[in-house]
Amino acid sequence: MTDNPGSLGRPKARTRWLPLWTALPLCALAGALAGGAYGKLKAPQYTATSYVVAVPTEKADPATALGFAQAYGRVATQLAVLGNAQVQAGVPVSELRRSVRAATSPDAPMVAVSATSHRAARAASIANAVSRALTIDANRTQDNTHVQLLQFSRATTPAAPSSASPRLTTLVGASAGGLLGGLGLLARPRRRVPAAADGAPVSVPGPAPAADLKR
Protein backbone atom coordinates (compact mmCIF):
# COMPACT_ATOMS: atom_id res chain seq x y z
CA MET A 1 0.00 0.00 0.00
CA THR A 2 1.15 3.53 -0.67
CA ASP A 3 0.13 6.70 1.06
CA ASN A 4 -0.80 8.34 -2.25
CA PRO A 5 -2.29 5.83 -4.70
CA GLY A 6 -2.96 8.48 -7.29
CA SER A 7 0.77 8.99 -7.74
CA LEU A 8 1.33 5.48 -9.09
CA GLY A 9 2.66 5.46 -12.66
CA ARG A 10 3.05 9.24 -12.68
CA PRO A 11 6.67 10.31 -13.21
CA LYS A 12 7.95 13.06 -11.02
CA ALA A 13 8.61 16.27 -12.98
CA ARG A 14 12.07 17.58 -12.39
CA THR A 15 13.64 20.65 -13.93
CA ARG A 16 17.37 20.33 -14.30
CA TRP A 17 19.38 23.45 -15.05
CA LEU A 18 22.94 23.44 -16.29
CA PRO A 19 25.53 24.74 -13.84
CA LEU A 20 26.38 28.40 -14.21
CA TRP A 21 30.01 27.66 -15.02
CA THR A 22 28.96 25.98 -18.28
CA ALA A 23 28.29 29.47 -19.69
CA LEU A 24 32.06 29.98 -20.03
CA PRO A 25 32.81 27.09 -22.43
CA LEU A 26 29.58 27.69 -24.33
CA CYS A 27 30.41 31.36 -24.89
CA ALA A 28 34.00 30.46 -25.81
CA LEU A 29 32.72 27.90 -28.34
CA ALA A 30 30.30 30.41 -29.86
CA GLY A 31 33.08 33.00 -30.11
CA ALA A 32 35.42 30.48 -31.74
CA LEU A 33 32.81 29.57 -34.35
CA ALA A 34 32.12 33.23 -35.11
CA GLY A 35 35.83 34.06 -35.34
CA GLY A 36 36.56 31.08 -37.57
CA ALA A 37 33.68 31.94 -39.90
CA TYR A 38 34.91 35.54 -40.12
CA GLY A 39 38.42 34.42 -41.00
CA LYS A 40 37.13 32.04 -43.67
CA LEU A 41 34.63 34.37 -45.32
CA LYS A 42 36.62 37.63 -45.24
CA ALA A 43 38.80 38.20 -48.28
CA PRO A 44 42.56 38.24 -47.48
CA GLN A 45 44.42 41.55 -47.46
CA TYR A 46 47.90 42.04 -48.93
CA THR A 47 50.26 44.85 -47.95
CA ALA A 48 53.23 46.14 -49.96
CA THR A 49 55.67 48.87 -48.90
CA SER A 50 57.87 51.20 -50.91
CA TYR A 51 60.60 53.41 -49.38
CA VAL A 52 61.83 56.86 -50.41
CA VAL A 53 64.72 58.74 -48.80
CA ALA A 54 65.40 62.47 -48.45
CA VAL A 55 68.96 63.43 -49.42
CA PRO A 56 70.40 66.88 -48.62
CA THR A 57 72.15 68.85 -51.34
CA GLU A 58 75.36 70.84 -50.89
CA LYS A 59 73.41 73.74 -49.39
CA ALA A 60 71.68 71.66 -46.69
CA ASP A 61 72.62 69.38 -43.81
CA PRO A 62 71.26 65.98 -42.68
CA ALA A 63 69.04 67.59 -40.04
CA THR A 64 67.25 69.54 -42.76
CA ALA A 65 66.69 66.36 -44.76
CA LEU A 66 65.31 64.64 -41.68
CA GLY A 67 62.83 67.45 -41.10
CA PHE A 68 61.63 67.43 -44.70
CA ALA A 69 61.24 63.63 -44.58
CA GLN A 70 58.75 64.08 -41.72
CA ALA A 71 56.88 66.65 -43.81
CA TYR A 72 56.84 64.43 -46.90
CA GLY A 73 55.41 61.60 -44.81
CA ARG A 74 52.41 63.79 -43.97
CA VAL A 75 52.02 64.91 -47.58
CA ALA A 76 52.13 61.38 -49.04
CA THR A 77 48.45 60.68 -48.34
CA GLN A 78 47.17 64.10 -49.41
CA LEU A 79 44.97 64.62 -52.46
CA ALA A 80 47.70 66.38 -54.46
CA VAL A 81 49.95 63.31 -54.41
CA LEU A 82 47.20 60.70 -54.70
CA GLY A 83 45.68 62.54 -57.64
CA ASN A 84 48.93 62.21 -59.59
CA ALA A 85 49.30 58.54 -58.58
CA GLN A 86 45.86 57.36 -59.63
CA VAL A 87 46.76 57.23 -63.34
CA GLN A 88 49.75 54.95 -62.86
CA ALA A 89 48.04 52.86 -60.17
CA GLY A 90 44.89 52.45 -62.27
CA VAL A 91 42.54 52.96 -59.32
CA PRO A 92 40.41 55.93 -58.23
CA VAL A 93 41.55 58.39 -55.59
CA SER A 94 38.90 57.13 -53.15
CA GLU A 95 40.51 53.70 -53.11
CA LEU A 96 43.97 55.21 -52.70
CA ARG A 97 42.84 57.17 -49.67
CA ARG A 98 41.50 54.00 -48.06
CA SER A 99 44.48 51.79 -48.80
CA VAL A 100 47.59 54.01 -48.60
CA ARG A 101 49.45 54.75 -45.37
CA ALA A 102 52.75 56.59 -44.83
CA ALA A 103 55.17 56.28 -41.92
CA THR A 104 58.40 58.07 -41.02
CA SER A 105 61.27 57.47 -38.63
CA PRO A 106 62.59 60.02 -36.12
CA ASP A 107 66.15 58.81 -36.73
CA ALA A 108 66.35 58.35 -40.52
CA PRO A 109 65.19 60.67 -43.36
CA MET A 110 63.07 57.92 -44.89
CA VAL A 111 59.37 57.62 -45.75
CA ALA A 112 57.62 54.24 -45.94
CA VAL A 113 54.59 54.19 -48.26
CA SER A 114 52.37 51.14 -47.67
CA ALA A 115 49.34 50.05 -49.68
CA THR A 116 46.77 47.37 -48.88
CA SER A 117 44.57 45.54 -51.38
CA HIS A 118 42.72 42.27 -51.91
CA ARG A 119 45.21 41.46 -54.68
CA ALA A 120 48.93 41.23 -54.01
CA ALA A 121 50.03 42.69 -57.34
CA ARG A 122 47.71 45.67 -56.99
CA ALA A 123 49.07 46.45 -53.51
CA ALA A 124 52.62 46.65 -54.91
CA SER A 125 51.49 48.73 -57.88
CA ILE A 126 49.70 51.25 -55.66
CA ALA A 127 52.66 51.62 -53.28
CA ASN A 128 55.08 52.23 -56.15
CA ALA A 129 52.75 54.68 -57.86
CA VAL A 130 52.26 56.78 -54.72
CA SER A 131 55.98 56.83 -53.86
CA ARG A 132 56.81 57.90 -57.43
CA ALA A 133 54.20 60.66 -57.36
CA LEU A 134 55.53 61.84 -53.99
CA THR A 135 59.09 61.93 -55.36
CA ILE A 136 58.09 63.94 -58.42
CA ASP A 137 56.04 66.39 -56.35
CA ALA A 138 58.80 66.90 -53.77
CA ASN A 139 61.59 67.41 -56.32
CA ARG A 140 59.69 70.26 -57.98
CA THR A 141 60.70 72.44 -55.03
CA GLN A 142 64.23 71.05 -54.71
CA ASP A 143 65.80 74.43 -55.48
CA ASN A 144 63.98 75.96 -52.52
CA THR A 145 64.19 73.11 -50.02
CA HIS A 146 67.72 71.98 -50.96
CA VAL A 147 66.53 68.43 -50.32
CA GLN A 148 66.13 65.76 -52.98
CA LEU A 149 63.72 62.86 -52.59
CA LEU A 150 64.91 59.57 -54.10
CA GLN A 151 63.34 56.15 -54.32
CA PHE A 152 65.20 53.89 -51.94
CA SER A 153 63.36 50.59 -52.44
CA ARG A 154 60.50 49.56 -54.71
CA ALA A 155 57.55 47.59 -53.37
CA THR A 156 57.50 43.93 -54.34
CA THR A 157 54.49 41.66 -54.68
CA PRO A 158 53.79 40.17 -51.22
CA ALA A 159 53.89 36.38 -51.07
CA ALA A 160 51.49 36.02 -48.11
CA PRO A 161 48.49 38.01 -46.90
CA SER A 162 48.96 40.48 -44.07
CA SER A 163 45.46 39.95 -42.66
CA ALA A 164 44.78 37.59 -39.77
CA SER A 165 44.54 33.88 -40.59
CA PRO A 166 41.38 31.86 -39.76
CA ARG A 167 43.28 30.11 -36.95
CA LEU A 168 44.11 33.45 -35.34
CA THR A 169 40.56 34.78 -35.70
CA THR A 170 39.27 31.56 -34.13
CA LEU A 171 41.55 32.01 -31.11
CA VAL A 172 40.58 35.65 -30.77
CA GLY A 173 36.89 34.79 -31.01
CA ALA A 174 37.20 32.06 -28.37
CA SER A 175 39.01 34.44 -26.01
CA ALA A 176 36.43 37.18 -26.55
CA GLY A 177 33.55 34.73 -26.05
CA GLY A 178 35.02 33.37 -22.83
CA LEU A 179 35.64 36.89 -21.55
CA LEU A 180 32.08 37.96 -22.27
CA GLY A 181 30.75 34.82 -20.62
CA GLY A 182 32.81 35.49 -17.48
CA LEU A 183 31.65 39.10 -17.35
CA GLY A 184 28.07 37.93 -17.74
CA LEU A 185 28.45 35.60 -14.74
CA LEU A 186 29.95 38.37 -12.65
CA ALA A 187 27.20 40.82 -13.60
CA ARG A 188 24.28 38.44 -13.02
CA PRO A 189 21.81 39.47 -10.27
CA ARG A 190 22.41 37.81 -6.88
CA ARG A 191 19.72 36.04 -4.88
CA ARG A 192 18.75 38.16 -1.90
CA VAL A 193 18.16 36.72 1.57
CA PRO A 194 14.82 37.98 3.04
CA ALA A 195 15.35 40.35 5.95
CA ALA A 196 13.25 41.00 9.02
CA ALA A 197 11.76 44.36 9.92
CA ASP A 198 14.89 45.36 11.85
CA GLY A 199 17.12 44.51 8.88
CA ALA A 200 18.46 41.22 10.27
CA PRO A 201 18.25 38.11 8.05
CA VAL A 202 15.20 35.94 8.65
CA SER A 203 16.12 32.61 10.25
CA VAL A 204 14.40 29.58 8.78
CA PRO A 205 13.43 26.96 11.39
CA GLY A 206 14.93 23.53 10.88
CA PRO A 207 13.04 20.20 11.00
CA ALA A 208 11.75 19.15 14.38
CA PRO A 209 13.59 16.28 16.12
CA ALA A 210 11.92 12.88 16.14
CA ALA A 211 11.66 12.95 19.94
CA ASP A 212 9.47 16.06 19.81
CA LEU A 213 7.11 14.48 17.31
CA LYS A 214 6.27 11.60 19.69
CA ARG A 215 5.10 13.90 22.42
Side-chain angles (χ1 to χ4, degrees):
M1 299 293 293
T2 58
D3 297 337
N4 188 9
S7 62
L8 290 176
R10 182 184 304 172
K12 295 182 179 180
R14 292 184 179 180
T15 303
R16 289 176 174 260
W17 298 95
L18 294 175
L20 292 177
W21 62 266
T22 56
L24 291 177
L26 291 178
C27 290
L29 178 60
L33 294 176
Y38 175 81
K40 287 286 187 181
L41 298 178
K42 188 177 184 299
Q45 296 281 339
Y46 296 89
T47 302
T49 304
S50 175
Y51 296 91
V52 294
V53 60
V55 179
T57 62
E58 296 178 356
K59 298 181 180 180
D61 54 10
T64 303
L66 180 60
F68 274 101
Q70 303 292 327
Y72 292 146
R74 292 188 291 268
V75 173
T77 56
Q78 299 300 318
L79 184 60
V81 177
L82 299 181
N84 296 330
Q86 66 174 338
V87 177
Q88 183 180 358
V91 295
V93 176
S94 57
E95 182 176 348
L96 294 179
R97 299 185 71 173
R98 291 192 305 266
S99 61
V100 175
R101 297 292 181 270
T104 58
S105 172
D107 302 323
M110 187 172 294
V111 181
V113 179
S114 301
T116 303
S117 177
H118 295 303
R119 293 189 296 175
R122 173 174 287 189
S125 176
I126 292 176
N128 290 325
V130 174
S131 63
R132 183 175 181 273
L134 176 63
T135 301
I136 295 175
D137 188 69
N139 289 337
R140 289 175 181 172
T141 58
Q142 177 181 347
D143 295 337
N144 298 326
T145 61
H146 306 293
V147 173
Q148 184 181 10
L149 198 62
L150 301 176
Q151 190 169 34
F152 182 79
S153 175
R154 288 179 56 85
T156 58
T157 303
S162 58
S163 55
S165 62
R167 179 178 299 180
L168 180 59
T169 58
T170 300
L171 293 177
V172 173
S175 301
L179 178 61
L180 292 177
L183 293 177
L185 290 179
L186 294 177
R188 76 184 190 279
R190 304 280 181 169
R191 297 182 62 183
R192 296 182 179 180
V193 179
D198 56 354
V202 176
S203 59
V204 180
D212 296 341
L213 297 177
K214 294 180 180 181
R215 294 177 182 176

